[in-house]
């Protein structure tokens, strides 16, 4: 992998990740851009104890542009985009309309390929491996920023999810706090550790799922399963078999096997509802341990957390979406219409030949 860092016309950082070591990235951003001005602010809810990002400048962000005006495609002739070069393998840049900025953290965009009409599932194993390297590198770099406590790599895919740019891409949020969902996991891990005399909760969950009926696919280093209490109609958790706290901790074997396992999982998601259905909308979310101090979690260390990816779709059946209505949005109590065991069975059924 070759990494080349440069700056866009408004001062934002852009990084090329190339498969070839002899790639030259010297194109300049020719757009007449003013410096990016953000109004991001973090406010803490005194009742729930969580944090909300107030970012009014995002109202003016790019919204469903035509394909020939996509800002994530390479620049070509007079059509200038966020990527100055005429081609790329993987590229990462600071979001022009970030939810988090400055002392409130940082937001980045990850373009998986220059092919506008592709998806992550269309990548080769070599390309998917390069994306993994980019995620890992950004996790390392962002973790050293003074304002950053947790790094979150994720992909939103599909208009049903709310995606406003059709180009295959993901995002990275670097939060200045431990996110509420991660805090819940850490508290659960602390409670379990105390009640069992030191057993790791993530290890216990993985052991139970490996012995059960909800495993979707399994390799030497990774296992994907539908969790016992899945919140979403089709939800899969992908774990490395050797517990590590973050992407930096993956060994060479896990890194090598990941593209094959993950691409197969994504391709099965696209086959759940049949070939006649549009591509399955999904969210893919990496859960990594925070980089800040964990004193508030009763003796749980970073090494007690288990890196894993959660993949889920909001489509519950052909032509129907799962909406977060009163119970989910009002009380955070999910109601799942698809039994996890049936979801796992269906995902095994659509395995590629």
């Amino acid at each position: 992998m070759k990494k080349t860092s440069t700056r866009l016309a408004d001062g934002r950082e852009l990084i090329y990740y190339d498969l070839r070591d002899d790639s030259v990235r010297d194109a300049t951003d020719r757009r007449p851009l003013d410096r990016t001005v953000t109004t991001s602010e973090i406010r803490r809810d005194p009742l729930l104890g969580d944090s909300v990002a107030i970012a009014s400048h995002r109202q003016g962000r790019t919204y469903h542009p035509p394909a020939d005006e996509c800002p994530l495609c390479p620049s070509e002739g007079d059509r200038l985009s966020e990527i100055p070069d005429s081609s790329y393998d993987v590229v990462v840049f600071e979001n022009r309309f970030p939810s988090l900025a400055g002392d409130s953290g940082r937001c980045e965009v990850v373009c998986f390929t220059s092919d506008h009409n592709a998806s992550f599932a269309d990548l080769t194993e070599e390309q998917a491996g390069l994306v993994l390297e980019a995620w890992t590198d950004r996790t390392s770099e962002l973790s050293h920023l003074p304002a950053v406590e947790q790094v979150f790599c994720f992909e939103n895919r599909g208009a049903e999810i709310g995606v406003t740019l059709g180009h295959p891409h993901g995002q990275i949020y670097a939060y200045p706090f431990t996110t509420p969902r991660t805090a819940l996991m850490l508290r659960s891990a602390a409670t379990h550790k105390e009640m069992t005399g030191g057993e790791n909760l993530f290890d216990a969950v993985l052991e139970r799922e490996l012995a059960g009926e909800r495993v979707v696919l399994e390799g030497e280093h990774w296992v994907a399963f539908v969790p016992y209490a899945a919140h979403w109609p089709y939800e899969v958790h992908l774990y490395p078999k050797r517990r590590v706290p973050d992407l930096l901790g993956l060994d060479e074997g896990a890194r090598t096997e990941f593209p094959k396992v993950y691409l197969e999982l994504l391709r099965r998601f696209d086959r759940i509802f049949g070939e006649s259905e549009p591509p399955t909308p999904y969210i893919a979310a990496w859960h990594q341990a925070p980089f800040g101090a964990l004193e508030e979690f009763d003796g749980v260390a970073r090494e007690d957390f288990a890196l894993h990816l959660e993949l889920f779709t909001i489509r519950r059946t052909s032509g129907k979406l799962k909406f977060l209505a009163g119970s989910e949005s009002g009380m955070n109590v999910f109601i799942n219409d698809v039994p996890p065991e049936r979801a796992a069975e269906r995902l095994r059924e659509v395995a590629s030949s």
Side-chain angles (χ1 to χ4, degrees), residues 184-231:
L184 282 174
M185 293 184 196
L186 289 168
R187 293 190 184 102
S188 294
T191 300
H192 184 85
K193 187 174 184 179
E194 181 180 1
M195 292 179 63
T196 60
E199 182 181 64
N200 183 276
L201 174 60
F202 295 97
D203 291 351
V205 168
L206 188 57
E207 181 180 359
R208 181 179 72 174
E209 295 294 356
L210 278 167
E213 59 182 316
R214 290 179 296 275
V215 172
V216 174
L217 58 88
E218 181 179 356
E220 181 182 354
H221 301 278
W222 295 86
V223 60
F225 58 86
V226 178
Y228 171 74
H231 290 59

Side-chain angles (χ1 to χ4, degrees), residues 11-186:
R12 289 175 293 132
E13 184 178 17
L14 179 142
I15 307 159
Y16 294 98
Y17 293 89
D18 285 295
L19 292 168
R20 293 172 54 95
D21 290 337
D22 59 355
S23 298
V24 177
R25 300 297 183 185
D26 55 7
T28 59
D29 186 1
R30 294 180 284 130
R31 297 172 296 171
L33 298 180
D34 294 328
R35 285 274 173 175
T36 299
V37 178
T38 63
T39 57
S40 180
E41 175 189 358
I42 301 296
R43 296 185 182 182
R44 188 164 180 82
D45 186 320
L47 296 181
L48 298 180
D50 58 8
S51 299
V52 178
I54 309 298
S56 60
H57 63 279
R58 285 176 52 80
Q59 284 281 36
R61 66 187 184 274
T62 308
Y63 186 81
H64 292 300
D68 61 355
E69 297 179 17
C70 175
L72 306 185
C73 288
S75 293
E76 184 176 354
D78 293 332
R79 187 187 62 75
L80 306 178
S81 73
E82 290 280 66
I83 297 90
D85 215 324
S86 59
S87 67
Y88 64 84
D89 291 334
V90 172
V91 71
V92 177
F93 60 88
E94 288 184 76
N95 198 320
R96 190 176 178 185
F97 304 96
S99 302
L100 308 167
D103 293 339
S104 297
R106 176 157 157 155
C107 291
E108 298 183 338
V109 176
V110 184
C111 297
F112 304 138
T113 171
S114 60
D115 184 352
H116 181 84
N117 297 313
S119 69
F120 200 116
D122 296 322
L123 301 182
T124 65
E125 290 185 20
E126 186 179 35
Q127 289 174 310
L130 183 61
V131 176
L132 177 62
E133 291 302 312
W135 282 331
T136 305
D137 181 70
R138 297 315 301 153
T139 296
S140 176
E141 293 291 329
L142 293 171
S143 71
H144 290 95
L145 296 181
V148 173
E149 188 167 315
Q150 185 173 357
V151 179
F152 175 45
C153 307
F154 64 100
E155 180 191 1
N156 298 328
R157 192 249 201 149
E160 299 94 330
I161 297 293
V163 174
T164 58
L165 295 175
H167 195 102
H169 73 288
Q171 299 182 65
I172 302 175
Y173 277 22
Y175 297 100
F177 51 79
T178 298
T179 60
R181 190 173 178 87
T182 302
L184 282 174
M185 293 184 196
L186 289 168

Side-chain angles (χ1 to χ4, degrees), residues 268-316:
R268 292 191 192 190
F269 255 60
D270 272 344
R271 293 193 291 267
I272 297 173
F273 304 105
E275 299 295 333
S276 61
E277 287 289 317
T280 302
Y282 65 73
I283 292 175
W286 280 109
H287 291 263
Q288 305 192 79
F291 288 94
L294 301 181
E295 287 86 354
E296 63 180 293
F297 301 109
D298 301 321
V300 173
R302 288 195 80 248
E303 291 70 26
D304 292 319
F305 192 86
L307 166 77
H308 62 284
L309 182 142
E310 297 184 8
L311 173 69
F312 62 89
T313 179
I314 63 170
R315 187 179 292 164
R316 57 186 175 88

